[in-house]
Amino acid sequence: MATIDVEEVRRLSDLHPKPALIRFQYGTAGFRTLGNTLDSVLFRVGIIAGLRSKKLDGKTIGVMVTASHNPEPDNGVKLVDPRGEMLESSWETHATTFSNAATTEDFLFVLDAFVKTAKIDLSKPARVVYARDTRPSGPALVSAFEDGLKAIGAEGRDAGVTTTPILHYLVRSINTKGTKDAYGEDSEQGYFAKLSEAFKKLVAGRATPPPLVIDCANGVGAPAAAKLSGLVKENLLLVLENTSTTTPGALNNSCGADYVKTAQKLPPSLASKLNAGQRGCSLDGDADRLMYFYIDEGGKFHMLDGDKIAALVAAFIVELVKTAGLEGQLNIGVVQTAYANGASTKYLAERLPVKCVPTGVKHLHHAAEHYDIGVYFEANGHGTVLFSPTSQDKLTTYEPSTPAQSTALTHLINLMQLINQTVGDALSDMLLVEVVLAHKSYSGVEWDSLYADLPNRLVKVVVADRTIFKTQDAERQLVSPPGLQKKIDEIVQRYDGGRSFVRPSGTEDVVRVYAESIFRPQADELAFRIAGLVYDETGGDPAQRPK
Ligand code: G16
């Protein structure tokens, strides 16, 4: 029976001491905090990734070093399970325990106990594929992580600087290689080839639209979009903006999907780049979120967020399934979170089953797996479409009886190739949106008019301790601090069509407040009143009180 090389783990662990006084937490999207505090976490994640692989009989585990939409000084790390999905939740708890062992000796104790209780056979192989985004803190963190792999004897494959969705794609492709579920060639080129070939088939014969402006958030989406651009240029011209991946401080700064969603504004850097009516979109720092927008003839900004993408895509898929003659044979559903605009939920629920789950892709992904075709999108632009094994079999074996059915079926099969089914993927989603717009002959204006968003506002509140905030009912109700929800309800009922909820962020040290109402000034006022209430009730730095 193989054992841990305790001396080697001790030697390497001593090179990566845990900073005192910091408590780490595997949150919404892994560990995420200031990059210069994460060295020990990365080392220990290397070890846990190796153990996870051993536990799963040598299947390849993914590790992505990124802080996605967060500011540049932040960094983070998340683990990806063999089918390209987020890490199983019980292991999130183990990762948190590993990360908080105070000393090397404590860590060795925790490690030994875990190997025993989780019954990990150390003689099994361990394989891990990993990548990072463009953050300056990335290389040193990857090096700490590689020490973790070395300590546990895991084989590492460095996928370099790439997007989060490409890393998820690689994990699934590596693990399904040579099987009947083979997902694609396990390389970045394989990913781009799969997407671009499916895209070209789906838009063949359609008119070429005006160029699409992409705000790359000055992140890793820039080189990825550049590669894609070359492959699709005959059908879609991509104009890349905010591509400065080496300019200090530029990442996600007044640009990117999170900026657009939160500020509800065009990134200032695009002001002279977008003509009236032209489509634009923003990626986030690791290219797993997408926001579309356009400026109308009157100069007004229109945002087409994750909810609008879900509405566009779900309606298109429903139509194709019906035209293919498969209506009633495949159940199609949509998954959203509490941040979904009330108008989008109403629009979708009139057409399809809609489920609301807590924030975080892992929750949406799991809920979407319950449908034959599950469409999930967070309002912030993170989402995808899942085709269950049943629906994949059905679509690939079904025999259409008319040419129209055959065409619709072929489109559905090509959509399965175009869509990254492992996780939300800004570039894959962007091509998907472009396919639907081309098929429907929609500009942003027609797309936007599917339904009118209820005015809404998202506010961040810096509080003394966000861990005291606990929620229930898919995060729509606070159960702690005690009594706060009642006060929120009293305020909300004074606003026309008012809705508001409060939850702690799992990626930033803030509490988020969402509010909507049927009138713009009321939505803004409601958000700031609730934010003020949260602040007053839970304390914090007076300079940070929401105004
Ligand atoms: C991550 C998650 C998303 C989540 C977002 C915000 O996105 O993957 O599912 O919506 O954080 O989460 P929170 O409100 O808990 O901070 P990303 O793009 O930053 O990885």
Side-chain angles (χ1 to χ4, degrees):
M1 180 79 175
T3 51
I4 289 172
D5 183 344
V6 175
E7 280 320 307
E8 180 68 344
V9 178
R10 180 180 282 120
R11 183 184 73 78
L12 289 164
S13 175
D14 281 344
L15 301 175
H16 305 284
K18 177 188 178 289
L21 307 177
I22 299 184
R23 187 175 154 73
F24 298 106
Q25 170 80 39
Y26 197 101
T28 314
F31 293 103
R32 204 175 282 189
T33 184
L34 277 173
N36 61 12
T37 65
L38 280 167
D39 181 76
S40 61
V41 171
L42 267 289
F43 170 73
R44 294 169 189 196
V45 164
I47 293 184
I48 203 155
L51 294 175
R52 179 81 181 142
S53 176
K54 284 176 187 287
K55 179 73 189 171
L56 300 176
D57 211 13
K59 291 226 165 54
T60 298
I61 296 299
V63 169
M64 183 71 200
V65 180
T66 179
S68 190
H69 76 274
N70 291 45
E72 190 170 290
D74 284 0
N75 214 325
V77 59
K78 53 191 166 193
L79 287 116
V80 178
D81 262 352
R83 288 188 57 75
E85 73 279 39
M86 297 294 183
L87 178 69
E88 183 191 296
S89 60
S90 63
W91 279 64
E92 294 184 358
T93 315
H94 305 318
T96 300
T97 308
F98 269 42
S99 68
N100 287 309
T103 63
T104 288
E105 293 315 309
D106 290 348
F107 176 60
L108 283 167
F109 178 80
V110 167
L111 175 61
D112 182 56
F114 177 65
V115 167
K116 284 183 184 134
T117 50
K119 299 192 176 59
I120 293 170
D121 179 352
L122 294 167
S123 64
K124 297 274 181 184
R127 302 182 182 95
V128 183
V129 57
Y130 54 97
R132 66 174 176 92
D133 69 14
T134 55
R135 284 180 159 74
S137 56
L141 292 176
V142 165
S143 165
F145 166 77
E146 288 170 336
D147 275 356
L149 293 183
K150 194 164 149 196
I152 201 71
E155 183 190 312
R157 170 172 159 185
D158 186 358
V161 175
T162 196
T163 72
T164 292
I166 292 178
L167 190 266
H168 284 250
Y169 165 92
L170 288 175
V171 173
R172 177 115 149 215
S173 301
I174 292 168
N175 286 310
T176 55
K177 203 171 179 170
T179 73
K180 71 171 183 39
D181 299 324
Y183 193 62
E185 190 199 305
D186 63 328
S187 64
E188 215 184 48
Q189 292 92 309
Y191 164 90
F192 285 116
K194 183 177 175 183
L195 257 61
S196 58
E197 279 159 25
F199 176 72
K200 284 188 231 169
K201 287 181 195 161
L202 280 156
V203 297
R206 312 262 157 191
T208 306
L212 171 66
V213 175
I214 311 183
D215 156 23
C216 299
N218 296 314
V220 69
K227 288 173 196 158
L228 184 65
S229 174
L231 296 170
V232 298
K233 61 178 189 294
E234 272 154 35
N235 303 87
L236 176 65
L237 277 178
L238 301 175
V239 180
L240 273 49
E241 299 292 343
N242 294 329
T243 57
S244 310
T245 55
T246 52
T247 306
L251 179 68
N252 294 328
N253 192 353
S254 295
C255 62
D258 198 64
Y259 172 86
V260 171
K261 178 63 184 165
T262 310
Q264 304 186 20
K265 277 189 204 146
L266 185 71
S269 47
L270 295 194
S272 60
K273 306 285 167 60
L274 205 62
N275 302 320
Q278 191 179 8
R279 299 156 350 284
C281 65
S282 286
L283 319 178
D284 71 341
D286 62 343
D288 61 2
R289 293 201 215 167
L290 177 71
M291 299 291 297
Y292 261 74
F293 42 77
Y294 69 95
I295 305 286
D296 68 19
E297 296 293 338
K300 187 169 173 246
F301 172 75
H302 294 259
M303 181 171 74
L304 297 149
D305 64 2
D307 297 338
K308 281 263 156 89
I309 297 174
L312 182 78
V313 168
F316 182 62
I317 290 175
V318 167
E319 199 176 299
L320 285 178
V321 167
K322 197 170 165 188
T323 312
L326 287 164
E327 194 180 12
Q329 296 186 52
L330 293 172
N331 73 64
I332 309 172
V334 179
V335 186
Q336 302 187 307
T337 71
Y339 290 111
N341 193 278
S344 82
T345 309
K346 182 168 178 292
Y347 173 89
L348 285 162
E350 282 164 5
R351 291 158 177 82
L352 293 160
V354 178
K355 194 167 167 29
C356 179
V357 299
T359 301
V361 176
K362 58 192 172 196
H363 300 296
L364 290 106
H365 195 94
H366 289 313
E369 281 174 331
H370 290 109
Y371 299 106
D372 292 326
I373 303 180
V375 178
Y376 74 80
F377 273 92
E378 294 185 290
N380 62 23
H382 200 156
T384 188
V385 181
L386 303 182
F387 293 81
S388 71
T390 316
S391 69
Q392 300 200 21
D393 283 351
K394 184 89 160 184
L395 293 172
T396 44
T397 55
Y398 175 71
E399 297 203 352
S401 35
T402 66
Q405 286 191 352
S406 172
T407 306
L409 184 68
T410 307
H411 290 332
L412 283 165
I413 290 169
N414 287 327
L415 283 180
M416 288 197 297
Q417 299 299 311
L418 176 72
I419 295 168
N420 187 339
Q421 293 183 55
T422 63
V423 78
D425 179 336
L427 294 176
S428 161
D429 289 342
M430 179 187 84
L431 295 179
L432 172 61
V433 164
E434 291 297 317
V435 165
V436 187
L437 297 181
H439 278 243
K440 308 290 292 177
S441 303
Y442 280 177
S443 68
V445 181
E446 288 88 12
W447 174 15
D448 197 21
S449 66
L450 291 179
Y451 62 84
D453 270 324
L454 284 171
N456 62 89
R457 182 66 57 200
L458 189 56
V459 180
K460 295 180 196 183
V461 188
V462 179
V463 295
D465 179 10
R466 78 185 147 123
T467 64
I468 61 170
F469 287 80
K470 309 269 184 242
T471 62
Q472 64 179 14
D473 186 23
E475 304 180 320
R476 289 172 288 199
Q477 295 279 321
L478 274 179
V479 287
S480 167
L484 188 53
Q485 185 62 48
K486 193 158 174 285
K487 292 182 181 166
I488 293 171
D489 292 342
E490 280 162 13
I491 296 176
V492 169
Q493 55 151 358
R494 293 182 220 151
Y495 290 80
D496 294 310
R499 181 169 77 91
S500 178
F501 64 92
V502 174
R503 59 174 282 278
S505 162
T507 61
E508 296 173 62
D509 196 9
V510 297
V511 165
R512 300 198 197 279
V513 173
Y514 176 84
E516 68 183 30
S517 164
I518 53 177
F519 302 115
R520 161 58 56 206
Q522 289 206 13
D524 292 341
E525 189 185 297
L526 178 57
F528 284 101
R529 284 193 69 177
I530 302 288
L533 172 74
V534 166
Y535 186 86
D536 292 342
E537 294 283 320
T538 58
D541 176 0
Q544 307 267 15
R545 191 180 191 284
K547 294 184 261 303

